[in-house]
Amino acid sequence: MDLVDTAHKLVSQSEQNGASQAEAFVIRVATSSIYIDDNIPKIGDSKIEVGVGLKFILGKKVGFTSSTLLSESTKDVVKRAMSIATISNEDPKFTSLPEARKVSGKPDRFYDKATAEADSSVLADKCMELVKTAGSDAVSVPNGVLRASALEFNVVNSLGVDASSKSTIVFGYFTAKADEDGKVGEGVQRVWSRSLYDVDFVAKGEKLRTQATSVINAKPFKEKWDKIVAVLAPSEGSEMMGTLVGTAVSAENVNNRSSPWTDKVGDTIAHENLSVIDNGKSKLGLMSARVDDEGVPTQKTRIIENGVLKSYLFDSYNANQLDLKSTGNGLRRGGRDAHGAFAGMVSCRPSTLEIPAGSKSVEDIISEVKKGVYIEHFAWPLVDPLSGAFSNEIRNAKIIENGELKDQIKFALLIGNLYESIKDEILVGSDTEVHGTRVMPTMAFAGTELVGQ
Amino acid sequence: MLDVMGKAVDTIDDRDVSFADIRHQDLATTSIAVVNGALRRLSRSTKAGTVARVLVGECWGQSSITEPFSLGILENLLSKAVKMAKHNAQHSRMKINLSGIPVHQETSWQETKEDPSNIAEEEKLDFVMDLDKAQKVDEKIVNTNSMYADSKVIYRLANSEGSRLEWDETRTRVAVRPVAKDESKVQYDYAIKSGLAGYELVRVLDPNEFASKCARDAIDLLSATKAPSGEVTAVVDGDIAGLIAHEVCGHASEADEVVKKRSFLSDLVGVEVGTDQVSMVDDGSIPGLLGSFPFDSEGTPSSRTTIIENGIFRGYMHTLETAAVMRTNPTGNGRAQDYNRRIFARMTNTFFDKGTWNNQEIIEDTKDGLYIIKTHSGMEDVVGGGVQATSLKGYIIKNGELTQLVRQLAIAGNVLEILKTVDAVGNELEFSGGTCGKGEEDWVPVTSGGPHMRMQLVVGGG
């Protein structure tokens, strides 16, 4: 199927059927994967998915449908979208699809040919490098997945948007289990990259083994520490910070007034050490593309600058409500997996959230902490983005006393409120890493509570 | 279609391939979302694809497409899968033998009282608008969110042992999420109704009662205090009991985690893991529950698996492969999210079974404690058996009575220690439908549940 032809056909057929405006999003994703089970490449997988998403607009009525076009034609899809638009209620907030803007850069700027061509046998060999490095008499790699996707999408609308972008995504998730005399420990490592060949699988394997074995000697934490500093590894801190900031600055949440940062542009909402950027053209970002999923050119948007809220993030729907321009944040794709992206409607969310690297190494940060905890891994780094509350179980952590790392601990919860913590001094590391749709370094937050079990 | 699929698996002529199957999925969904009284999404979508799998040694190859297929295309898919499986099989340590697995040739169409595809979209939309309106009970409700979704998926499966199956699954879901705000405080609550059912699920819902109560609960949470931190005597509702059953005991009882000895429940069959009041079951055959289905993704009929019986650990949930490796019967737990994803051992409807206590009796019998209700989030710990879960709210129990409302709190502890403290189990089961991921992805519809239960837990108020 020719993606460009299909997108144009969907829009023109919609217009012929009376659509006042129409938008077609057509995507092809080809993925090779390997699943690791019990130290071996258990499943080799190859998949190709082509899907379309069509917005059919009748004035202020919007109908959306999607299809893989396996058992139906573009005409069937248009007919269905039209019937949905016809019965939809008018959305008074809808004014228009985005207009065409000049798009710069080549469509394949974020595409790595070698990664796109890697089949499951190449991935299996990469995985086995990791497994062999991580494994020992006491350590195994029971679970893992590595996949490399090449994706290409086209967006066409009635207002002249006709844009495409092509990129590659590599995702991996591996766990290691250490078992010594009945005591067990687990390590977790993820791979996020746009190029398979930028990933050091041996280093990942070493880290996995170190994590799993260090947990074995963890001591139960039985105290309750108040007002301590939590130093969070990039994987954990970026997930929490990304969830919080991403929710609070989405114009969707601002317009519906559920964001705690509604009407706060220009206000100081965090410590001066904190700056956050949304970068749709991030060099490392997995969402990087020439255009967003509405065909609007991507850009760099300063969200928080030295603690001051500078901007929200907009898709066209939410921007139009405030007579502003979209910031290129109308997205359907995800950073982890692009399969199924055609089936979702555009949502207003970050592309790649970046926190610029600071000047301090992790060791520097730890040396500045009188009493705290260094956390490499939570069960899952959750935060409630509406209230900022979090209480997360620690899986891999060491306590910090007088600037030094001490005992490895287990059975403890880190409790706090991230909206409050970011108002206190934040220490920002120099070790920026990619984790999902975030590129952030190690960060240290004050005002947290460590509760033993 | 099934004939062609059957012919394709029958044409495999490769002595290294011990098993093959082809699964086709055709999904149609309707989805409606209303936010603050405005329609934000009304969509009807389809998604179809086909996946072929082959087994060589102990390794699989699988290949999927979303284009219309012919015999030639399916043969090509199988050929790609064979190539991948053979490459991986150089690491194989054994040969898995699936010959002799039960063969099923059946068509099973779900009987819904009201097929959602026969209900006008306007009627569904009116219902969601009513849900949204019903949340506006007070000016403190600053954001209303209402959702309706139905899905019908038709599966066709052919395997090299001779199974030829066609079946469908229709699910319906309704949800609301009001957000309340008072100065700088923001809180939300939610309510969900879902099941393996048609539009009859909606017919029995009173939008006003369902959504207004939820909105009032969100407002109440604005005045909730921080929960205590530390070890408490906890009475959990069926929702939280189900969360513990699912996240901790359930994931660790999925036999793929046991075969490779990753699970803390490996080698525990016959061992006492809880008090005699603790029983736990996975049952994909319960009519109407979200995690139910006639056949799993490998064509094994759903069944009831006893995991814990009166405190004694009894067994695991199996795929074809894990059952062959552990020399037992498959239990109908081999599930895949869709044609793009792997099959492995997954839960269906997982719950602690009921006991003899009246719910009110459990509260009245608790002098000081915490009544913990409504799931917020949960994460498995297959290796360590730790509980990492969050509830949306709770109440302090003082002298057998519920007192102060407390907001979101974390629940922690080691489940093998927790289950040995269970001293009261209620006589009513509650079920909550949702989706379950394994690791960090591969989402399938499931139900969790249980009765009210009293146990010792470590909690942390945030």
Side-chain angles (χ1 to χ4, degrees):
Chain A
M1 184 199 300
D2 184 294
L3 304 191
V4 181
D5 279 358
T6 305
H8 279 284
K9 200 185 280 181
L10 284 164
V11 171
S12 64
Q13 287 174 350
S14 296
E15 289 167 348
Q16 284 159 19
N17 279 275
S20 51
Q21 292 184 353
E23 174 193 271
F25 174 83
V26 183
I27 186 167
R28 179 183 190 276
V29 187
T31 297
S32 295
S33 318
I34 279 290
Y35 292 93
I36 297 292
D37 265 15
D38 201 10
N39 300 309
I40 67 163
K42 181 75 179 175
I43 304 173
D45 178 30
S46 152
K47 52 201 168 207
I48 297 173
E49 184 178 70
V50 179
V52 302
L54 176 66
K55 238 181 216 182
F56 188 109
I57 292 155
L58 289 168
K60 285 183 174 292
K61 294 178 167 187
V62 182
F64 177 77
T65 191
S66 65
S67 174
T68 45
L69 294 176
L70 186 149
S71 52
E72 57 187 350
S73 66
T74 52
K75 282 184 181 167
D76 297 326
V77 173
V78 169
K79 200 174 154 192
R80 187 166 64 235
M82 182 175 73
S83 77
I84 296 165
T86 305
I87 60 168
S88 287
N89 294 357
E90 287 197 344
D91 180 352
K93 292 176 184 164
F94 175 79
T95 50
S96 174
L97 292 171
E99 290 182 347
R101 287 197 232 164
K102 192 183 171 199
V103 181
S104 60
K106 289 182 182 171
D108 61 355
R109 177 176 165 187
F110 301 103
Y111 177 81
D112 181 66
K113 191 165 178 278
T115 298
E117 288 173 354
D119 66 13
S120 76
S121 65
V122 174
L123 300 185
D125 294 344
K126 294 281 181 192
C127 284
M128 290 312 287
E129 283 178 30
L130 178 148
V131 170
K132 281 176 188 158
T133 312
S136 69
D137 288 347
V139 180
S140 63
V141 181
N143 289 347
V145 62
L146 179 66
R147 58 175 176 257
S149 297
L151 58 117
E152 183 179 1
F153 68 89
N154 288 75
V155 190
V156 172
N157 80 15
S158 304
L159 302 180
V161 166
D162 184 355
S164 65
S165 197
K166 203 170 167 183
S167 56
T168 43
I169 296 174
V170 178
F171 169 73
Y173 173 81
F174 299 89
T175 70
K177 181 184 175 185
D179 193 339
E180 277 180 15
D181 305 326
K183 288 194 288 184
V184 294
E186 186 173 39
V188 176
Q189 282 292 293
R190 296 177 188 84
V191 170
W192 306 95
S193 179
R194 287 197 297 97
S195 166
L196 182 65
Y197 301 94
D198 286 349
V199 181
D200 185 341
F201 286 92
V202 171
K204 287 278 173 195
E206 279 168 2
K207 184 71 181 167
L208 203 52
R209 187 185 64 233
T210 312
Q211 280 187 332
T213 49
S214 64
V215 173
I216 281 186
N217 298 316
K219 295 178 180 170
F221 185 76
K222 294 185 173 171
E223 298 173 48
K224 189 172 171 183
W225 287 2
D226 289 327
K227 295 178 185 168
I228 63 158
V229 174
V231 183
L232 305 184
S235 61
E236 313 306 289
S238 66
E239 178 65 31
M240 291 175 69
M241 189 65 109
T243 302
L244 190 94
V245 175
T247 305
V249 301
S250 162
E252 176 81 25
N253 298 324
V254 173
N255 283 343
N256 70 32
R257 308 198 71 76
S258 65
S259 165
W261 290 347
T262 302
D263 301 328
K264 286 195 188 281
V265 169
D267 290 3
T268 298
I269 45 93
H271 187 267
E272 63 181 7
N273 283 0
L274 185 68
S275 294
V276 184
I277 296 156
D278 180 74
N279 190 353
K281 292 180 169 28
S282 170
K283 196 176 167 192
L284 299 171
L286 306 178
M287 298 292 289
S288 294
R290 287 205 306 164
V291 290
D292 72 359
D293 299 341
E294 295 187 290
V296 174
T298 50
Q299 65 177 55
K300 194 185 245 193
T301 306
R302 297 187 183 283
I303 299 171
I304 301 170
E305 201 164 54
N306 300 327
V308 177
L309 183 63
K310 291 289 185 185
S311 175
Y312 302 124
L313 299 179
F314 294 95
D315 61 352
S316 67
Y317 175 81
N318 285 290
N320 287 343
Q321 289 176 43
L322 302 174
D323 279 333
L324 295 171
K325 280 196 165 181
S326 167
T327 51
N329 290 93
L331 296 168
R332 294 173 160 107
R333 290 164 295 129
R336 176 189 283 263
D337 186 0
H339 287 272
F342 60 91
M345 284 183 74
V346 162
S347 67
C348 181
R349 55 186 158 87
S351 51
T352 298
L353 282 182
E354 296 180 338
I355 292 185
S359 57
K360 296 173 194 294
S361 67
V362 179
E363 292 74 24
D364 291 341
I365 290 176
I366 288 166
S367 71
E368 290 181 29
V369 176
K370 199 174 170 198
K371 193 172 186 181
V373 59
Y374 173 55
I375 298 166
E376 281 200 52
H377 185 41
F378 286 117
W380 185 251
L382 278 172
V383 62
D384 177 354
L386 295 185
S387 67
F390 63 85
S391 42
N392 292 326
E393 193 211 347
I394 282 165
R395 293 269 168 92
N396 188 329
K398 285 182 175 147
I399 56 172
I400 306 169
E401 284 179 302
N402 299 317
E404 287 184 8
L405 285 176
K406 299 284 186 182
D407 290 340
Q408 182 87 28
I409 57 164
K410 61 181 177 183
F411 303 147
L413 293 168
L414 185 78
I415 297 170
N417 186 296
L418 200 53
Y419 281 119
E420 296 304 318
S421 281
I422 62 173
K423 289 176 186 165
D424 285 336
E425 186 178 9
I426 301 167
L427 302 176
V428 179
S430 55
D431 55 340
T432 304
E433 290 181 10
V434 185
H435 286 277
T437 55
R438 292 106 194 194
V439 181
M440 298 183 185
T442 294
M443 287 175 276
F445 303 101
T448 62
E449 201 179 334
L450 187 67
V451 179
Q453 299 176 18
Chain B
M1 186 183 278
L2 195 55
D3 286 352
V4 180
M5 291 162 61
K7 267 184 201 161
V9 289
D10 287 344
T11 56
I12 294 182
D13 183 20
D14 188 322
R15 54 190 301 181
D16 291 331
V17 175
S18 61
F19 178 81
D21 63 13
I22 297 177
R23 191 173 76 257
H24 177 77
Q25 171 191 328
D26 204 334
L27 168 74
T29 59
T30 298
S31 175
I32 302 171
V34 171
V35 178
N36 290 349
L39 179 63
R40 285 293 281 125
R41 183 177 69 237
L42 171 53
S43 68
R44 269 207 317 260
S45 297
T46 64
K47 182 176 164 180
T50 310
V51 57
R53 294 194 306 170
V54 302
L55 178 63
V56 176
E58 62 171 313
C59 297
W60 297 85
Q62 67 175 38
S63 186
S64 66
I65 48 162
T66 55
E67 63 182 85
F69 63 73
S70 59
L71 182 59
I73 286 175
L74 292 182
E75 284 172 347
N76 186 40
L77 268 189
L78 284 164
S79 158
K80 275 168 119 179
V82 169
K83 190 180 162 203
M84 289 185 281
K86 282 188 174 177
H87 180 85
N88 294 338
Q90 62 183 303
H91 300 280
S92 230
R93 297 154 298 196
M94 63 174 150
K95 190 167 181 180
I96 291 166
N97 181 9
L98 297 184
S99 62
I101 59 167
V103 172
H104 303 278
Q105 296 192 346
E106 202 177 325
T107 297
S108 172
W109 302 128
Q110 185 179 337
E111 287 181 15
T112 52
K113 285 183 187 160
E114 285 190 83
D115 186 337
S117 64
N118 293 334
I119 307 293
E121 309 300 349
E122 291 94 325
E123 187 176 343
K124 296 173 187 171
L125 180 55
D126 285 347
F127 171 74
V128 185
M129 283 293 184
D130 287 347
L131 283 179
D132 212 63
K133 209 180 292 172
Q135 291 168 62
K136 284 299 265 176
V137 295
D138 190 286
E139 284 183 354
K140 286 180 181 161
I141 298 294
V142 293
N143 175 223
T144 54
N145 298 274
S146 311
M147 189 279 286
Y148 165 89
D150 60 54
S151 64
K152 179 174 187 170
V153 57
I154 298 170
Y155 292 103
R156 293 182 176 86
L157 182 140
N159 71 25
S160 53
E161 293 298 302
S163 282
R164 301 288 184 268
L165 289 166
E166 286 182 295
W167 74 96
D168 65 352
E169 297 167 18
T170 296
R171 293 184 173 83
T172 302
R173 298 176 175 88
V174 172
V176 294
R177 195 186 77 130
V179 179
K181 193 171 182 179
D182 190 7
E183 295 177 351
S184 63
K185 288 185 196 167
V186 182
Q187 291 287 344
Y188 74 94
D189 208 323
Y190 69 87
I192 300 172
K193 177 87 176 161
S194 60
L196 185 82
Y199 204 71
E200 63 271 16
L201 181 137
V202 171
R203 296 283 183 216
V204 298
L205 269 189
D206 177 342
N208 215 34
E209 194 181 307
F210 183 72
S212 303
K213 182 184 177 307
C214 188
R216 283 192 292 273
D217 288 347
I219 293 169
D220 287 348
L221 272 171
L222 291 171
S223 57
T225 56
K226 186 176 168 179
S229 295
E231 188 171 333
V232 297
T233 298
V235 178
V236 301
D237 69 354
D239 200 26
I240 299 296
L243 183 65
I244 295 170
H246 177 100
E247 294 295 355
V248 195
C249 304
H251 277 294
S253 301
E254 292 166 337
D256 59 321
E257 303 285 17
V258 177
V259 166
K260 56 195 173 194
K261 306 273 188 204
R262 180 170 180 254
S263 167
F264 72 97
L265 293 173
S266 302
D267 303 322
L268 287 191
V269 171
V271 174
E272 187 179 307
V273 295
T275 65
D276 61 3
Q277 300 200 42
V278 178
S279 292
M280 187 181 140
V281 169
D282 180 84
D283 189 346
S285 64
I286 299 174
L289 292 187
L290 195 71
S292 296
F293 46 77
F295 301 99
D296 70 5
S297 304
E298 299 184 299
T300 305
S302 58
S303 70
R304 183 179 177 92
T305 306
T306 300
I307 296 166
I308 302 171
E309 187 178 30
N310 300 327
I312 309 297
F313 193 82
R314 291 293 181 206
Y316 306 105
M317 292 168 269
H318 287 283
T319 61
L320 291 177
E321 178 183 333
T322 63
V325 171
M326 295 180 77
R327 296 173 194 278
T328 184
N329 295 320
T331 53
N333 291 88
R335 305 181 70 187
Q337 175 184 305
D338 59 26
Y339 53 81
N340 277 328
R341 293 286 178 161
R342 73 176 293 185
I343 290 171
F344 45 11
R346 306 301 302 271
M347 283 172 270
T348 61
N349 307 302
T350 313
F351 53 97
F352 285 117
D353 216 346
K354 61 189 174 187
T356 56
W357 288 64
N358 175 290
N359 291 349
Q360 190 56 35
E361 277 174 5
I362 302 178
I363 303 286
E364 286 172 2
D365 189 64
T366 306
K367 191 164 181 266
D368 289 302
L370 193 59
Y371 180 47
I372 305 174
I373 57 176
K374 214 157 192 178
T375 299
H376 178 265
S377 67
M379 190 70 192
E380 78 251 36
D381 180 10
V382 172
V383 171
V387 177
Q388 150 93 0
T390 347
S391 84
L392 194 66
K393 54 188 170 180
Y395 291 89
I396 305 281
I397 304 174
K398 273 192 180 160
N399 297 321
E401 287 186 4
L402 301 183
T403 60
Q404 176 64 43
L405 178 66
V406 295
R407 60 178 181 256
Q408 198 182 109
L409 61 134
I411 303 164
N414 183 288
V415 80
L416 291 180
E417 290 170 15
I418 292 168
L419 294 185
K420 284 176 182 154
T421 68
V422 173
D423 65 353
V425 176
N427 57 12
E428 287 174 39
L429 288 178
E430 303 163 46
F431 293 103
S432 308
T435 51
C436 163
K438 184 159 172 162
E440 297 180 344
E441 39 191 39
D442 291 287
W443 304 96
V444 293
V446 295
T447 301
S448 303
H452 275 52
M453 298 172 83
R454 185 169 62 194
M455 58 189 75
Q456 297 298 309
L457 287 176
V458 174
V459 299

